[in-house]
Amino acid sequence: MKKSLGANTIVPTTPVWVVGTYDKDGKPNVMTAAWGGICCSKPPCIYVSLRKATYTYGNIVERKAFTVSIPSETYTKEADYFGITTGKKVDKFAATGLTPMKSDLVDAPYVKEFPLILECKVLKIVEIGLHTEFIGEIMDVKADSSVLNEKNLPDIEKINPIIWNAAAMTYHKVGKGVGQAFSIGKEI
Amino acid sequence: MKKSLGANTIVPTTPVWVVGTYDKDGKPNVMTAAWGGICCSKPPCIYVSLRKATYTYGNIVERKAFTVSIPSETYTKEADYFGITTGKKVDKFAATGLTPMKSDLVDAPYVKEFPLILECKVLKIVEIGLHTEFIGEIMDVKADSSVLNEKNLPDIEKINPIIWNAAAMTYHKVGKGVGQAFSIGKEI
């Protein structure tokens, strides 16, 4: 018999994604979101869900573009900072010493020091409730050579991304591999 | 200088969620999806993105409900099986020996043996491209007592969920905690 925990959003696993935008004056901003994911393969799309109160919300509505920069574990502290401060009041790049890079494909900046980034144009805006979902078409994925394997694919252990654990409000590493997909299930 | 990998969806991290539905004859079905996440806090909502070709797609359109059951690492093989087979041809519960439980809140079944489950009513259907996004309002989250901590919150290490690594098509464990959110960023 399972125990009811009520209607909440404490559900593993969610990513730690850093959303990059420009404000109306061209100031680069970043915020951390755990409510993001892949939502279509053709065209390739991701979404991020944001409250209207965030600075990033207005920036995306204005510029119709955003990036996602995936922090490696090394940058857990910076990722947390990006989530607890607002671009309305601080210059988050200046405060952390990280570098905003202008995307050459979309009207948004990404974090140079983070190993994997996505450049997105807004395809759809879905009003849900407190949160609005921005669905962005991925124009390109870019990665540091240091995180690519021999097939030029990003290696999750080299990226060393972090995961958001809502229940305990902690960040976690990705652990060891436990099986090959489209393969181990064939034993059944 | 980052290397362009093209427009694709090889982006960490994504979850391993098992979507439960009934078909038109009342047969319980499950499929594994990595393209799911949280998308609103009020009302609490998650989404799963599915191709029209899946059996689950038709079931959700018909019943306007689905569950998500989170497999622990112990059930990696079953989760993979749920992703590589179709309910059009097989009874996945019978094949794996797992138990379909009827939700008492929504018109969908969940996997009894999996430690954490969500019961959802469809709130919005968003056509994107090859994939359709089903946004479900979470009516309840239920968990086995064995995965709850002293505050009655689900403990990610006890749930022991798995993560989908698209680049290498492997499943991974969640690794060790690396920082307290809304806290370590204050050092900056």
Side-chain angles (χ1 to χ4, degrees), chain A residues 2-15 17 35 37-45 47 49 70 73 76-78 80-81 84 95-96 110-112 114-118 123-124 126-131 133 135 138-144 148 152-154 156-157 159 161-165 167-188, chain B residues 2-15 17 35 37-45 47 49 70 73 76-78 80-81 84 95-96 110-112 114-118 123-124 126-131 133 135 138-144 148 152-154 156-157 159 161-165 167-188:
Chain A
K2 285 182 162 51
K3 192 179 165 94
S4 167
L5 306 180
N8 65 60
T9 54
I10 300 181
V11 188
T13 61
T14 46
W17 283 2
W35 295 4
I38 301 169
C39 54
C40 190
S41 64
K42 200 181 288 181
C45 291
Y47 83 99
S49 276
I70 314 262
E73 182 197 341
T76 305
K77 190 188 291 185
E78 286 79 1
D80 191 50
Y81 176 82
I84 60 181
T96 54
Y110 60 86
V111 182
K112 182 184 175 190
F114 289 6
L116 189 82
I117 66 108
L118 293 90
L123 190 70
K124 277 182 195 273
V126 184
E127 299 290 347
I128 304 176
L130 184 61
H131 286 75
E133 186 185 57
I135 295 176
I138 302 169
M139 309 311 292
D140 198 16
V141 178
K142 291 186 171 72
D144 292 338
L148 299 177
N152 263 328
L153 289 171
I156 201 166
E157 292 180 13
I159 296 171
I162 50 174
I163 295 161
W164 168 236
N165 175 23
M169 297 201 293
T170 49
Y171 302 105
H172 282 254
K173 283 169 71 79
V174 170
K176 67 172 183 174
V178 293
Q180 190 69 42
F182 308 112
S183 172
I184 58 167
K186 290 182 185 168
E187 295 170 22
I188 293 174
Chain B
K2 285 182 162 47
K3 190 177 165 97
S4 167
L5 306 180
N8 65 61
T9 54
I10 300 180
V11 188
T13 61
T14 46
W17 283 2
W35 297 4
I38 301 168
C39 54
C40 191
S41 64
K42 201 180 288 182
C45 292
Y47 83 100
S49 276
I70 314 261
E73 182 198 341
T76 305
K77 190 188 289 185
E78 286 79 2
D80 191 51
Y81 175 82
I84 61 182
T96 55
Y110 60 86
V111 182
K112 183 185 175 190
F114 289 7
L116 190 82
I117 66 108
L118 293 89
L123 190 71
K124 278 181 194 272
V126 184
E127 299 290 346
I128 304 177
L130 184 60
H131 285 74
E133 186 185 58
I135 296 176
I138 301 168
M139 307 312 291
D140 197 16
V141 178
K142 291 186 171 73
D144 292 338
L148 299 177
N152 264 329
L153 289 171
I156 201 166
E157 292 181 13
I159 297 171
I162 50 174
I163 296 161
W164 167 237
N165 175 24
M169 297 199 294
T170 50
Y171 302 105
H172 283 253
K173 282 170 72 78
V174 169
K176 66 173 183 174
V178 292
Q180 190 67 42
F182 308 112
S183 173
I184 58 168
K186 289 182 184 168
E187 295 169 22
I188 293 173

Side-chain angles (χ1 to χ4, degrees), chain A residues 76-133:
Chain A
T76 305
K77 190 188 291 185
E78 286 79 1
D80 191 50
Y81 176 82
F82 291 159
I84 60 181
T85 49
T86 173
K88 287 173 193 165
K89 294 184 181 165
V90 294
D91 181 332
K92 301 189 195 183
F93 281 103
T96 54
L98 295 177
T99 314
M101 290 289 284
K102 187 172 175 20
S103 161
D104 53 4
L105 294 174
V106 307
D107 189 16
Y110 60 86
V111 182
K112 182 184 175 190
E113 289 81 359
F114 289 6
L116 189 82
I117 66 108
L118 293 90
E119 298 156 288
C120 301
K121 285 186 183 168
V122 172
L123 190 70
K124 277 182 195 273
I125 298 176
V126 184
E127 299 290 347
I128 304 176
L130 184 61
H131 286 75
T132 300
E133 186 185 57

